[in-house]
Amino acid sequence: TQLLEQSPQFLSIQEGENLTVYCNSSSVFSSLQWYRQEPGEGPVLLVTVVTGGEVKKLKRLTFQFGDARKDSSLHITAAQPGDTGLYLCAGAKGGYQKVTFGIGTKLQVIP
Amino acid sequence: GAGVSQTPSNKVTEKGKYVELRCDPISGHTALYWYRQSLGQGPEFLIYFQGTGAADDSGLPNDRFFAVRPEGSVSTLKIQRTERGDSAVYLCASSLYSGNEQFFGPGTRLTVL
């Protein structure tokens, strides 16, 4: 049983399109993190959201933490080929020592 | 400064053999983590070190897996009597202190034939 469910698992879109990927759980987390991972590399942290209802923006990326701190979304505006990669959400409880990852959304942006 | 490095980058071994995977964390980072990422999955927590001691090893799948960090810096993940199901990418991460951002290495791809 996956503690963190991510959807969709695969997404292929044209350059310039907008997209949203989701991370859902039945558990409450003290924080949720979003990472991007490229082939042959480790995940790289994009953002951490801590407060229920929190919205953070990172250039064309907008991250939202659900009010109940069980879910999160990542919205990308005007996707570019450089956005291609595996987007992972990860939840932490009581600190960052043990982070639980979702299965990831594999995004492909076609030029 | 250098990031987290892992050696070897690729390891192919035969079923039943012993392997060691090495992680060099970012200098000065006190916390070190090992994860395993199977094909099509997210990373799965294995073990966390704070300094030299294993603070949480609840993710190790069985007693064939063991990790050490004798001087509080470099860590080695050891797998005895490897099985085909152990094939995965083993990721190491470090953070300045526990609770800080984790920085990941590129991983070691282990293939057990």
Side-chain angles (χ1 to χ4, degrees):
Chain A
T1 302
Q2 196 74 26
L3 194 60
L4 282 165
E5 301 284 344
Q6 290 192 245
S7 61
Q9 288 189 25
F10 301 96
L11 188 57
S12 181
I13 62 170
Q14 293 292 133
E15 181 177 0
E17 292 183 359
N18 301 332
L19 65 114
T20 303
V21 298
Y22 300 92
C23 175
N24 296 291
S25 176
S26 56
S27 294
V28 175
F29 293 98
S30 55
S31 68
L32 261 176
Q33 302 165 359
W34 284 92
Y35 292 80
R36 186 170 78 195
Q37 184 177 24
E38 300 190 31
E41 299 181 9
V44 175
L45 181 67
L46 296 174
V47 78
T48 300
V49 285
V50 178
T51 306
E54 182 177 5
V55 176
K56 280 192 174 179
K57 293 192 175 185
L58 185 66
K59 296 183 181 177
R60 293 176 295 100
L61 279 59
T62 301
F63 305 85
Q64 184 159 8
F65 201 11
D67 290 341
R69 308 212 318 273
K70 293 182 179 181
D71 54 84
S72 182
S73 63
L74 158 59
H75 181 79
I76 302 179
T77 303
Q80 299 178 0
D83 296 328
T84 293
L86 179 68
Y87 287 82
L88 294 157
C89 72
K93 293 186 179 184
Y96 296 86
Q97 292 92 325
K98 189 172 180 178
V99 172
T100 302
F101 283 85
I103 197 171
T105 292
K106 195 167 185 179
L107 172 65
Q108 180 186 32
V109 182
I110 302 166
Chain B
V4 177
S5 63
Q6 293 186 245
T7 54
S9 55
N10 282 284
K11 176 70 177 178
V12 180
T13 191
E14 293 180 344
K15 181 174 178 293
K17 298 288 188 182
Y18 168 83
V19 296
E20 288 189 353
L21 312 180
R22 177 186 167 111
C23 172
D24 281 83
I26 293 173
S27 178
H29 278 196
T30 65
L32 185 145
Y33 314 78
W34 283 99
Y35 295 84
R36 179 170 69 176
Q37 187 171 23
S38 300
L39 191 63
Q41 302 291 319
E44 173 191 18
F45 171 84
L46 295 177
I47 187 170
Y48 149 65
F49 286 91
Q50 180 58 51
T52 60
D56 183 351
D57 65 356
S58 62
L60 295 177
N62 52 60
D63 61 6
R64 295 187 297 105
F65 289 75
F66 189 71
V68 295
R69 195 186 184 202
E71 298 178 358
S73 178
V74 171
S75 176
T76 304
L77 179 65
K78 309 181 181 194
I79 310 174
Q80 298 178 323
R81 304 184 303 280
T82 53
E83 299 177 356
R84 292 195 181 88
D86 299 334
S87 296
V89 175
Y90 289 81
L91 293 164
C92 175
S94 70
S95 63
L96 185 59
Y97 301 104
S98 66
N100 292 113
E101 177 183 353
Q102 296 182 27
F103 293 86
F104 283 81
T108 293
R109 180 175 297 278
L110 175 66
T111 303
V112 182
L113 300 177

